[in-house]
Amino acid sequence: MTTSTAAATTPRPSLREQLGRSEQAYFVLGITVVLCVVGAATTPGFLTTGNFASLLRLSAAFGILAVGVAIVILGKGIDLSIAGVALGCAQATLALMSSGMPEWQAIAIAAAVALSVGLVNGVLVAYVEVPSLFVTLATGLLVIGGVDMLLLDSNYYALPGGSWIAELSNGSILGVPRPIIIAAAVFVLAWLFVTYTSAGRLIRAMGDNFATARATGAPVRPLQVLTYVISALLALLAGYLTVSIQGSVQTTVTSFDPLLFTALTATVIGGISLAGGRGSILGVLAGSLFIGVLNNLLVLHGLTSAVQDLIRGGVLIAAIALDSWLHPRDEETAKSGEL
């Protein structure tokens, strides 16, 4: 058989295969641009510098959360404790500061809690082999419940002015608000980690095929623990950034805060496949921008919370369905472990 004949008999990739191999980030960025054009034409006040600055500031926190959960998903896991860690540690820090504890000590305690949650998540998933879905859901609730029982005696804590946490959102660098600078730094460092470090490349390989990565000698269990530790520490940073922007924290919210939904949606929309091993940090950035614009338009149009939740839920279902269609899980992949 000649080379031309072999090429002629080779089946062309299907539309699904072509889309599955493409960089989803560019597609999402295109949709975001279209959404901005529609918003500018239909929404008064959308196309202003102040609105865009506010949009990016508010998107910074869940963008950082999305980076953390994306690294876990790349390694074939899931982390539902991120909002619990973000909110619980922020609540604990302000409660300890209100009792007279120095800020650095309160932050150190909260950081120790976040690190402990990440380690517990990783050890239970990697070594005890408990499904990550249930482990991280439980630890997120434990953080919220534990902080509430042990530390909280008020429904509202204001952030003291001049504190280190308050400075996270104050001021700008070369005209760029500080939260955007912090989020950009996190995205760049995450991109460098996933793309250029051996640990980042092994995490992606582990997510693509766990059994093969383990057979080649990759330290898959320590790497799993590392992903959950990174996610927990980024959740801590996102929690502090949220409190800094808002200037206070309410203790009546739970770990099922919209932060969790928003971060997960941005991750999946950005092309981080729930099957593991596929996607990019650029995709997470694109997904975060899309969700930020969508949330901004929903608020500017004055829609009720119920309608906003309905729209966001529909977007998440559509994103998960698209991910399942583009990246179907075969039997070999399924044998390497469930979420």
Side-chain angles (χ1 to χ4, degrees):
M1 182 180 293
T2 64
T3 303
S4 58
T5 304
T9 57
T10 301
R12 294 183 60 184
S14 64
L15 176 62
R16 179 170 67 176
E17 292 173 336
Q18 294 180 42
L19 292 175
R21 296 171 186 171
S22 63
E23 175 55 71
Q24 191 165 322
Y26 302 121
F27 177 68
V28 176
L29 286 174
I31 294 178
T32 304
V33 171
V34 172
L35 190 61
C36 288
V37 172
V38 174
T42 62
T43 311
F46 175 76
L47 201 61
T48 62
T49 302
N51 182 61
F52 271 102
S54 176
L55 184 158
L56 292 175
R57 279 166 52 90
L58 294 175
S59 300
F62 71 74
I64 293 173
L65 274 179
V67 169
V69 76
I71 291 175
V72 174
I73 295 175
L74 281 174
K76 209 175 187 62
I78 191 73
D79 191 356
L80 300 184
S81 68
I82 50 173
V85 172
L87 296 171
C89 289
Q91 292 170 357
T93 301
L94 265 62
L96 291 172
M97 290 172 61
S98 70
S99 68
M101 180 178 290
E103 184 181 19
W104 71 268
Q105 290 185 8
I107 292 175
I109 292 174
V113 171
L115 179 61
S116 299
V117 172
L119 288 172
V120 169
N121 285 339
V123 168
L124 289 177
V125 172
Y127 293 95
V128 186
E129 298 185 355
V130 181
S132 58
L133 180 72
F134 302 109
V135 169
T136 57
L137 179 62
T139 53
L141 291 172
L142 284 172
V143 172
I144 290 292
V147 169
D148 192 2
M149 290 181 59
L150 298 176
L151 296 175
L152 304 183
D153 54 12
S154 173
N155 291 330
Y156 175 87
Y157 289 95
L159 179 64
S163 64
W164 178 83
I165 297 176
E167 291 302 313
L168 289 176
S169 63
N170 289 337
S172 61
I173 300 176
L174 300 177
V176 181
R178 193 168 293 173
I180 300 174
I181 298 294
I182 295 172
V186 170
F187 274 100
V188 171
L189 291 174
W191 172 71
L192 292 173
F193 171 74
V194 171
T195 307
Y196 293 105
T197 68
S198 57
R201 291 193 293 265
L202 286 173
I203 288 171
R204 183 186 293 276
M206 177 179 69
D208 187 53
N209 194 308
F210 188 90
T212 300
R214 181 166 53 186
T216 58
V220 291
R221 298 189 191 279
L223 286 173
Q224 281 182 299
V225 176
L226 176 62
T227 61
Y228 287 99
V229 169
I230 292 173
S231 180
L233 293 178
L234 288 179
L236 175 69
L237 175 60
Y240 284 154
L241 193 57
T242 301
V243 171
S244 180
I245 293 172
Q246 296 178 347
S248 63
V249 64
Q250 293 184 352
T251 61
T252 53
V253 295
T254 71
S255 59
F256 297 101
D257 186 84
L259 272 177
L260 174 60
F261 161 84
T262 307
L264 288 174
T265 306
T267 302
V268 177
I269 286 178
I272 301 294
S273 174
L274 294 175
R278 300 182 181 92
S280 66
I281 299 300
L282 177 62
V284 179
L285 174 61
S288 299
L289 292 174
F290 172 80
I291 294 299
V293 172
L294 177 64
N295 285 342
N296 183 254
L297 288 174
L298 294 177
V299 172
L300 289 178
H301 278 279
L303 301 179
T304 64
S305 298
V307 174
Q308 292 185 34
D309 290 341
L310 184 66
I311 294 174
R312 293 186 185 117
V315 170
L316 179 57
I317 291 175
I320 293 175
L322 178 62
D323 172 65
S324 298
W325 181 68
L326 293 177
H327 308 114
R329 302 182 67 193
D330 55 29
E331 292 184 4
E332 182 181 358
T333 302
K335 289 179 182 177
S336 63
E338 297 293 334
L339 295 179

